[in-house]
């Protein structure tokens, strides 16, 4: 079910004009490279992916987290 939810979020982002890049696993967490215009970030699958798709997070905010 988690995979279907992530795939749905990725489709929403594609519809919004985001480019979806390669995915990776780091420290057991799934990450996806997302790009929009001049911004890009490795976005954690799950909540962060949906927060980005819903417009509650930006790529810049994700990229500059401590």
């Amino acid at each position: 079910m988690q995979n279907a939810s992530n795939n749905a979020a990725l489709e929403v982002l594609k519809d919004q004009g985001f480019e979806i890049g390669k995915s990776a696993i780091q420290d057991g967490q799934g990450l996806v490279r997302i790009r929009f215009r001049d911004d890009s970030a490795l976005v954690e699958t799950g909540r962060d992916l949906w927060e980005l798709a819903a417009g509650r997070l930006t790529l810049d905010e994700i990229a500059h987290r401590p």
Side-chain angles (χ1 to χ4, degrees), residues 1-7:
M1 184 74 156
Q2 177 85 13
N3 227 9
S5 178
N6 289 327
N7 288 339

Side-chain angles (χ1 to χ4, degrees), residues 14-46:
K14 284 181 191 175
D15 290 346
Q16 293 174 3
F18 288 83
E19 295 175 29
I20 310 303
K22 293 184 178 184
S23 59
I25 296 177
Q26 180 178 334
D27 297 328
Q29 179 63 45
L31 302 168
V32 179
R33 173 66 63 186
I34 307 287
R35 178 181 151 89
F36 187 74
R37 296 185 183 143
D38 292 334
D39 291 327
S40 70
L42 278 173
V43 180
E44 289 183 29
T45 56

